[in-house]
Amino acid sequence: MKEINSEALRDMIADSSNIVFFGGAGVSTESGVPDFRSQDGIYNQKYKYPPEMIISHSFFMRDPEEFYRFYKDRMVYREAKPNAAHLALAKLEAMGKLSAVVTQNIDGLHQAAGSRKVLELHGSIYRNHCMRCGKSYTLDEVMEREGVPCCDECGGIIKPDVVLYEESLDMGVMREAAACISRADLLLVGGTSLTVYPAAGMIDYYNGDRLVLINRDSTKRDDAADYIIRGNIGDVLGSAVDAL
């Protein structure tokens, strides 16, 4: 493990043709979307029930009204805009250097920045479906309904296509992400504490010797990185990509 700067990262990017980025909540905090585990994160806010309980499958089934009160208030940020990190990754894809973004985020900001190959391990707030008949709904349709959004076809409850606690990740997305990571010649990991499994275990599929971890703080998986950059993901990626 070696600490490097954005200039060294720029050189690695310039020398790569199959980059994969794996990121978490820290990628979106610079867009005003709160993370979960920092001092000001969602898990440290005060609610009637612990957030970890509210965003579980069993709680959703038991009390969808309270779930949606929390969900609409604390997990959907439609005003958020892509930041320098999202834009840098979209630029790398457009240049033909980045083959995939693997994200734990559900906010759709990578797509809003222009990224096309985005593998969403934990789903997306922009996809919603009726649990009874399967009809699809947009985020706007869910947000405009009062209380628990219900299907206008059958009356069933509409559920966001986000992975709640007690639910399994989409194995098709997991397999595709693992395949992309295993083929990468440079794996960029940023904005994630690497504590949430099975998503955090995705970096173990990397077979190369250029795993770059970009994070403000240390993580429990620092020893898995070949190179480390301490700093904000937007500043680091923005500077490296702009200098290409």
Side-chain angles (χ1 to χ4, degrees):
M1 177 175 54
K2 176 183 178 182
E3 287 206 26
I4 60 173
N5 55 28
S6 60
E7 286 82 10
L9 177 60
R10 176 204 60 203
D11 293 341
M12 287 189 196
I13 292 174
D15 190 43
S16 302
S17 59
N18 189 9
I19 303 168
V20 171
F21 177 80
F22 174 80
V27 178
S28 293
T29 54
E30 294 172 44
S31 295
V33 179
D35 64 6
F36 282 77
R37 291 174 172 77
S38 69
Q39 184 175 351
D40 298 320
I42 289 174
Y43 285 173
N44 290 306
Q45 304 296 317
K46 302 299 181 184
Y47 291 93
K48 184 178 179 181
Y49 302 95
E52 301 98 314
M53 179 186 296
I54 297 174
I55 55 175
S56 68
H57 177 83
S58 56
F59 189 93
F60 175 84
M61 299 301 293
R62 181 173 69 251
D63 193 347
E65 185 169 1
E66 182 67 15
F67 168 88
Y68 266 109
R69 189 180 74 83
F70 176 86
Y71 178 78
K72 291 180 179 181
D73 182 49
R74 299 300 300 167
M75 296 186 69
V76 177
Y77 290 83
R78 286 186 289 180
E79 72 280 6
K81 303 297 182 184
N83 61 54
H86 300 108
L87 296 171
L89 292 167
K91 183 177 179 179
L92 286 177
E93 183 183 44
M95 294 170 64
K97 285 187 167 294
L98 185 138
S99 58
V101 169
V102 180
T103 181
Q104 296 169 274
N105 296 336
I106 61 174
D107 52 44
L109 289 175
H110 285 293
Q111 292 92 330
S115 290
R116 301 178 65 182
K117 179 76 171 198
V118 182
L119 301 172
E120 298 169 309
L121 299 180
H122 294 158
S124 172
I125 60 174
Y126 288 96
R127 296 189 299 271
N128 305 271
H129 70 279
C130 171
M131 297 180 70
R132 183 181 298 169
C133 72
K135 181 178 178 178
S136 296
Y137 287 88
T138 66
L139 176 61
D140 287 342
E141 289 174 318
V142 167
M143 296 297 286
E144 70 188 13
R145 284 165 163 79
E146 294 291 333
V148 179
C150 293
C151 179
D152 52 20
E153 293 286 339
C154 71
I157 294 175
I158 300 171
K159 181 183 180 297
D161 286 347
V162 299
V163 179
L164 304 178
Y165 285 116
E166 304 166 354
E167 295 180 345
S168 299
L169 275 63
D170 186 306
M171 290 309 298
V173 175
M174 290 282 285
R175 283 193 293 268
E176 187 173 3
C180 289
I181 289 172
S182 69
R183 295 192 296 264
D185 59 7
L186 171 61
L187 177 61
L188 303 177
V189 180
T192 173
S193 61
L194 293 173
T195 58
V196 179
Y197 283 82
M202 297 301 297
I203 66 172
D204 295 327
Y205 288 98
Y206 181 58
N207 297 312
D209 58 3
R210 294 197 299 176
L211 192 165
V212 181
L213 178 57
I214 308 165
N215 223 40
R216 289 180 303 177
D217 307 309
S218 61
T219 75
K220 293 183 178 180
R221 299 299 309 275
D222 281 5
D223 58 348
D226 299 299
Y227 303 95
I228 286 183
I229 302 178
R230 297 290 181 217
N232 292 326
I233 185 74
D235 292 339
V236 172
L237 280 182
S239 297
V241 174
D242 286 346
L244 289 173

